[in-house]
Amino acid sequence: MASDHYFTAAPASPENLRTIRVNLAGRDLELTTAGGVFSPDRLDVGTSVLFANMPPLPPGGDFLDLGCGWGPISLTMALSAPHATIWAVDVNERALDLTRRNAAKLGLTNVNAVLPEDVPDDVRFRTIRSNPPIRIGKEALHGMLERWIPRLDERSDAWMVVQRNLGSDSLQRWMATTFGAGYSVQRAATGKGFRVLKVRRHGTPPTEPIDMPA
């Protein structure tokens, strides 16, 4: 039906479970996907660009995958940082179920696939990695980022991939204006028609340069 999108809470389209082969965190894996979620047949190009251009993860802490889909970003973070707690957030119940299935299949116990309201209010994130749902519309996207970006821990980063022709540059400008003092926003990389945007939350007080001995 026309209103059934990957950001629909309960997709009405047939589930149509399928198995795909992907490489995540340097491992060849067989994972489960389904209709009614984002990019069910392959690892999408944007997420591949994000993986190719983001830095190593912190060794531990709480990490956020915003708009997890069937779980490629969450699973990659869980495999790469086994001591971290991964919050895989989505409004699509089918996507959350797939992420849970795939985490269980890989024996990952550090993935929490939950609705946004089920993340405890006191959790602060050492990093956010996301291929955000741009097609939900500008107002909803802005509201989502205004909710989650301020929950970055101090001296921590969010890394997001956004297609250039879907407004990555205007989103970068909006974030720089919206979050303002205490944050910096930059384009970290460009590839295959996508931008990788980095949002840094600075410390309080701001980190001072280190004086090196002569």
Side-chain angles (χ1 to χ4, degrees):
M1 52 191 295
S3 61
D4 192 12
H5 302 286
Y6 65 83
F7 46 83
T8 298
S13 58
E15 188 175 44
N16 188 22
L17 290 174
R18 65 204 77 172
T19 299
I20 63 170
R21 295 182 178 182
V22 295
N23 185 285
L24 300 179
R27 294 174 55 177
D28 292 322
L29 306 171
E30 289 191 351
L31 300 174
T32 301
T33 70
V37 301
F38 178 65
S39 191
D41 295 317
R42 64 188 64 84
L43 181 67
D44 67 285
V45 174
T47 299
S48 296
V49 170
L50 178 66
F51 287 159
N53 290 283
M54 65 185 191
L57 291 156
D62 290 282
F63 302 171
L64 174 64
D65 173 8
L66 192 54
C68 65
W70 51 264
I73 295 175
S74 292
L75 300 172
T76 295
M77 293 196 294
L79 289 165
S80 302
H83 299 296
T85 298
I86 316 302
W87 296 91
V89 170
D90 210 299
V91 298
N92 185 325
E93 294 277 11
R94 186 177 295 174
L96 295 175
D97 177 66
L98 290 167
T99 298
R100 294 181 192 120
R101 290 184 190 220
N102 288 324
K105 183 175 183 179
L106 298 177
L108 298 171
T109 59
N110 58 335
V111 177
N112 297 319
V114 297
L115 295 168
E117 58 267 27
D118 293 330
V119 180
D121 291 339
D122 60 349
V123 172
R124 294 295 177 267
F125 302 107
R126 288 288 290 116
T127 192
I128 299 173
R129 307 286 167 103
S130 178
N131 185 346
I134 296 297
R135 296 185 185 275
I136 61 176
K138 184 179 293 186
E139 183 177 351
L141 176 66
H142 289 179
M144 183 179 71
L145 295 176
E146 286 175 310
R147 176 178 184 175
W148 295 105
I149 294 296
R151 293 182 64 172
L152 274 171
D153 204 355
E154 291 193 340
R155 301 178 177 86
S156 298
D157 304 316
W159 294 78
M160 294 176 286
V161 64
V162 182
Q163 197 165 347
R164 181 178 56 80
N165 64 8
L166 291 181
S168 62
D169 294 345
S170 62
L171 180 63
Q172 179 182 345
R173 291 191 295 270
W174 174 84
M175 289 194 295
T177 300
T178 299
F179 298 115
Y183 295 84
S184 59
V185 182
Q186 67 184 86
R187 183 193 307 166
T190 300
K192 300 181 180 179
F194 290 84
R195 312 285 205 210
V196 177
L197 304 179
K198 174 188 175 184
V199 182
R200 173 76 170 177
R201 182 175 186 182
H202 300 291
T204 305
T207 305
E208 297 295 334
I210 299 175
D211 292 327
M212 301 299 291

